[in-house]
Amino acid sequence: MPKQLEEHFKQLRCWLDMESDAERKRMIERRKVRSQKNAEARGDTLLDLAISDHRMGLGGRFLVTFTKRNRTLDLPWNRFRVGSPVIASEESTEGDCGYGIVCSKGIGSIEVAFDDWPEGDRFRLDLSMDEITRNRQLTALNSVQNARSRVAQLRDILLGAREPRFCAPLALEMEQHFNASQRQAIEFAMSARDIAIIHGPPGTGKTTTVVELIRQAVLRGSKVLACAPSNTGVDNLLEKLVAIRVRVVRIGHPARVQEELQPYTLDALVEADPAMKVVGEMVREAEKAARKASKFTRAKPMPGERSDLRQESRRLRDDAKVYERQIIAGILDRADVICATTNFDPDVLGCRDFGLAVIDEACQSTEPGSWPVILRADRIVLAGDHCQLPPTIISAEASEQGFAVSLMERLVDTYGDTITKQLMVQYRMHEDIMEYSSQCFYGGSLQADETVRTHLLTDLVDPPHLEMLQSPVTFVDTAGASWEEEQEIDGESRFNVREAKWILQQVRELCSTGIAPKDVAIIAPYSAQVRWLRQNCPFKAIEIDTVDGFQGREKEAILITLVRSNAIAEIGFLGDTRRMNVALTRAKRKLIVIGDSATLANNEFYANMIDFFETIGAYRTIWEWDPAMEH
């Protein structure tokens, strides 16, 4: 292998080590903080919990629901997501009492799957390190680096040492609802002999396009491995694949899968297989023989009888395991598509390879997270949007050095249009909501479909008596109002109470017109602002979260509070404009943004954004509102 390629993999391993060290340090610091106010501030810990309910899940796992011991309290803002590994500990003894996986989360409760019952009365949950995933990535990197034949060819192409190849584009039969750019992307990806990228800006139907690509590959006899970095991403793929009736199996911990999709998990399909009755009978006979061997009776057993019984028990257990593995192999072999997160357990798949591997939301994975999938495939398709949020990295040093650059982003920089097709038509936003992001990030290429191009909140209520409903975008400038940001006393996050109060006033007015709270969401770039809003919002159905929490989401109306307002025009990580691209493209019919132009406009992106809002008549000042409004 050329020295340049060796250095690349050496750097990836170094970044993984740096990330592991940063995560370990953060976990140690978190466990040292015991007070409720400080420990819960970063969102990695939940304190003073009690078990409010439990049930049995697949594989005999305990699905335990935790709430605050004071049932009148909701959970604070937190970073717990479905699929997150957690540690449960007993607060009085500070001793760990179980390792689990988050399987669902609500406003006031969180459900965790445990293999064993967590003993205790008063619990603390902490996000846990995921060393298993990191070790799998390291193993994959070693395998790729030392690979021969097809994997070596793909490796060299993905590292720029060999040119990607394409066949002549295929003319495919597809449903009428696919637009021209979607059809071109699917045909282009099908013609790729090595690697292709589908670039899907917000609302352009990327996952729908990916699923049609998978269907076309299956029709031509390919087995497909369909992946995404997150469990939510995999569930989105799985749901659409089930709808088009391909034979699909979802591998991974069942607790990480939405309940309505669990019948398609490997665990559920194995349990439902009629042949498992034989396996169960073998296990029962093995237990019976083991009990008999350990039983003391008055009568002296025949010489060697106990040894024979123990051997019989072991034989039955071994036979049961072999039979169960055969059942698993049969289910996987009959599947056209296997769905998994990119950090799947390689032992489950055995030595299976796939004609096509697809990674959806590929830009949300670090590069080492993509290589385990590539190891399994003859052809690769990456789908995502490198103009939205990059992977989440804990180590600031590793991120600055390049660890936050996903494989897809690096390949777009290397090969550009040679391997990339962009989707052009978006089906989410009013054209005025779409336009600034289109200009800044997509070269003005996005088009709003006719079904959404001019839609407004006025379409949802009657009569449309509020002026706010009659326009798609409102930007409110607080410059000169002295609505300055504040910083948490014991943390790094920031909040702006006056902006938050104004946002909640607009929410009340929106909902008073008949707009359903479930159709409204508030986005804030800082967790402290999210916490304040959640504690004071009068509508429980309104979602309030950080930008990261809204990646891939949408609502009829989105309100954004930018928070930053200070005398030195410091905007912090608002300077990551990809983050704002996500926030600005979540709204379907109404976008409301409030911020301080005196602070924001020193940054070119925000200065241009405010200018754009002025050109479409969306610019307002805070002084236009009722002077009696509480400041």
Side-chain angles (χ1 to χ4, degrees):
M1 174 184 286
K3 187 171 181 60
Q4 182 181 357
L5 301 189
E6 288 185 11
E7 287 298 318
H8 183 80
F9 285 103
K10 181 180 178 181
Q11 181 65 78
L12 292 179
R13 283 190 286 268
C14 177
W15 285 336
L16 281 173
D17 289 341
M18 291 165 69
E19 184 73 353
S20 180
D21 289 343
E23 191 170 356
R24 187 176 296 107
K25 289 175 182 175
R26 189 173 76 169
M27 186 172 174
I28 291 171
E29 291 173 4
R30 188 169 66 231
R31 298 302 293 271
K32 285 178 180 178
V33 179
R34 306 305 301 184
S35 75
Q36 183 158 349
K37 181 179 178 181
N38 294 341
E40 291 185 325
R42 290 188 176 182
D44 301 323
T45 298
L46 292 171
L47 292 178
D48 200 30
L49 301 175
I51 295 174
S52 63
D53 196 8
H54 72 276
R55 57 194 175 96
M56 297 303 295
L58 288 171
R61 299 176 179 92
F62 296 97
L63 304 184
V64 180
T65 300
F66 294 95
T67 60
K68 285 289 189 179
R69 289 203 308 149
N70 179 350
R71 299 292 181 86
T72 65
L73 297 178
D74 292 334
L75 297 180
W77 173 85
N78 59 79
R79 302 180 193 277
F80 290 71
R81 300 283 183 261
V82 172
S84 296
V86 298
I87 300 174
S89 54
E90 226 293 336
E91 286 202 22
S92 59
T93 63
E94 299 186 11
D96 293 345
C97 56
Y99 291 80
I101 300 292
V102 176
C103 46
S104 68
K105 190 181 81 167
I107 295 173
S109 65
I110 184 167
E111 188 178 57
V112 180
F114 295 97
D115 288 332
D116 300 302
W117 180 259
E119 296 289 346
D121 296 311
R122 183 177 179 179
F123 294 92
R124 166 185 176 131
L125 291 181
D126 288 281
L127 286 174
S128 173
M129 293 179 62
D130 196 357
E131 284 299 319
I132 293 175
T133 294
R134 205 152 10 242
N135 288 335
R136 288 173 183 169
Q137 292 175 1
L138 285 168
T139 300
L141 290 178
N142 292 335
S143 297
V144 170
Q145 186 170 348
N146 300 314
R148 299 289 183 268
S149 66
R150 181 55 180 154
V151 173
Q153 291 176 351
L154 282 174
R155 176 199 65 205
D156 293 349
I157 290 167
L158 298 180
L159 295 179
R162 187 190 295 240
E163 288 296 315
R165 302 162 300 161
F166 289 85
C167 304
L170 301 172
L172 305 175
E173 291 187 10
M174 284 180 262
E175 298 289 337
Q176 291 297 317
H177 62 80
F178 289 100
N179 64 52
S181 66
Q182 290 172 329
R183 289 171 180 270
Q184 290 167 11
I186 294 166
E187 291 171 352
F188 177 76
M190 287 293 293
S191 73
R193 296 175 63 183
D194 308 298
I195 174 76
I197 288 174
I198 297 176
H199 178 197
T204 53
K206 170 182 57 62
T207 301
T208 300
T209 304
V210 166
V211 167
E212 177 62 16
L213 166 68
I214 292 170
R215 189 182 77 86
Q216 294 289 343
V218 168
L219 286 174
R220 284 155 183 76
S222 285
K223 295 283 188 178
V224 181
L225 179 60
C227 297
S230 70
N231 288 283
T232 301
V234 179
D235 283 350
N236 289 339
L237 282 171
L238 177 59
E239 185 174 21
K240 293 180 183 299
L241 288 166
V242 168
I244 63 171
R245 299 185 179 181
V246 298
R247 290 177 294 185
V248 59
V249 176
R250 166 75 148 97
I251 64 173
H253 199 302
R256 291 181 160 111
V257 182
Q258 293 175 21
E259 191 162 359
E260 60 270 24
L261 295 173
Q262 288 192 359
Y264 303 96
T265 62
L266 180 60
D267 289 56
L269 292 167
V270 169
E271 284 192 11
D273 194 297
M276 279 300 291
K277 293 180 180 178
V278 178
V279 174
E281 187 60 35
M282 286 180 172
V283 171
R284 284 190 291 274
E285 288 297 319
E287 291 173 350
K288 184 177 177 182
R291 284 195 302 270
K292 191 172 180 180
S294 61
K295 208 172 194 181
F296 288 91
T297 63
R298 292 182 181 179
K300 187 176 180 181
M302 296 290 291
E305 182 179 356
R306 286 184 175 171
S307 176
D308 290 345
L309 285 168
R310 292 191 182 101
Q311 287 183 17
E312 175 69 5
S313 177
R314 283 194 294 271
R315 184 187 65 77
L316 285 167
R317 289 183 186 278
D318 290 343
D319 288 348
K321 289 178 182 178
V322 170
Y323 203 8
E324 186 175 24
R325 282 197 292 269
Q326 290 173 349
I327 294 169
I328 292 170
I331 291 170
L332 293 177
D333 289 343
R334 289 190 295 272
D336 295 319
V337 184
I338 292 177
C339 286
T341 56
T342 51
N343 63 331
F344 60 83
D345 182 352
D347 293 337
V348 173
L349 291 182
C351 58
R352 288 174 181 79
D353 291 323
F354 298 83
L356 173 67
V358 175
I359 304 178
D360 197 12
E361 304 293 2
C363 294
Q364 294 180 40
S365 171
T366 62
E367 182 170 329
S370 297
W371 285 106
V373 182
I374 296 164
L375 270 174
R376 298 278 180 167
D378 186 59
R379 297 187 300 128
I380 306 294
V381 172
L382 305 179
D385 183 8
H386 53 284
C387 301
Q388 294 189 61
L389 289 177
T392 300
I393 308 296
I394 296 173
S395 170
E397 184 180 0
S399 180
E400 289 168 4
Q401 290 181 14
F403 194 37
V405 178
S406 66
L407 175 64
M408 177 175 156
E409 184 178 357
R410 183 171 64 73
L411 290 174
V412 169
D413 288 342
T414 302
Y415 293 114
D417 293 343
T418 306
I419 63 170
T420 305
K421 286 292 181 184
Q422 183 192 316
L423 306 181
M424 303 290 190
V425 182
Q426 64 85 14
Y427 299 87
R428 175 185 298 161
M429 297 162 274
H430 186 289
E431 61 183 352
D432 285 354
I433 299 175
M434 168 200 77
E435 188 57 33
Y436 184 63
S437 286
S438 178
Q439 292 176 11
C440 286
F441 298 98
Y442 310 108
S445 63
L446 291 189
Q447 308 158 30
D449 186 73
E450 281 301 316
T451 58
V452 302
R453 188 174 64 84
T454 59
H455 68 179
L456 296 166
L457 289 180
T458 51
D459 303 328
L460 303 181
V461 296
D462 186 33
H465 60 279
L466 191 67
E467 181 186 349
M468 182 191 298
L469 307 184
Q470 299 171 18
S471 64
V473 181
T474 301
F475 174 77
V476 179
D477 189 354
T478 67
S482 299
W483 285 18
E484 295 188 353
E485 68 191 60
E486 300 175 64
Q487 184 168 347
E488 286 183 316
I489 296 174
D490 299 311
E492 299 176 356
S493 193
R494 296 171 189 271
F495 60 101
N496 190 316
V497 173
R498 289 175 175 174
E499 275 192 15
K501 287 182 177 180
W502 184 89
I503 284 281
L504 293 183
Q505 177 181 316
Q506 307 316 303
V507 165
R508 291 186 189 95
E509 291 190 17
L510 274 174
C511 294
S512 72
T513 68
I515 301 297
K518 67 179 180 62
D519 291 329
V520 181
I522 304 172
I523 298 177
Y526 290 91
S527 58
Q529 186 81 334
V530 170
R531 283 194 292 274
W532 193 97
L533 284 161
R534 284 189 174 183
Q535 289 165 5
N536 292 278
C537 184
F539 302 99
K540 298 298 183 185
I542 288 179
E543 290 190 54
I544 305 170
D545 213 333
T546 58
V547 179
D548 302 59
F550 267 94
Q551 175 104 3
R553 307 286 309 287
E554 61 182 37
K555 290 285 184 179
E556 301 291 350
I558 293 284
L559 299 93
I560 303 173
T561 163
L562 296 177
V563 177
R564 301 310 298 262
S565 178
N566 54 72
I568 59 173
E570 170 62 51
I571 64 170
F573 66 81
L574 283 186
D576 181 354
T577 56
R578 289 182 296 182
R579 185 174 300 276
M580 191 49 51
N581 185 33
V582 173
L584 292 173
T585 55
R586 300 307 97 195
K588 296 165 73 173
R589 300 171 189 265
K590 181 67 182 185
L591 173 67
I592 300 174
V593 184
I594 184 169
D596 180 358
S597 66
T599 298
L600 299 168
N602 282 278
N603 177 282
E604 183 181 6
F605 173 87
Y606 291 99
N608 291 337
M609 181 184 78
I610 294 167
D611 287 344
F612 170 78
F613 288 152
E614 283 194 282
T615 64
I616 63 171
Y619 179 87
R620 307 281 296 275
T621 74
I622 196 63
W623 308 107
E624 296 178 48
W625 268 258
D626 184 357
M629 180 181 61
E630 182 183 358
H631 283 201

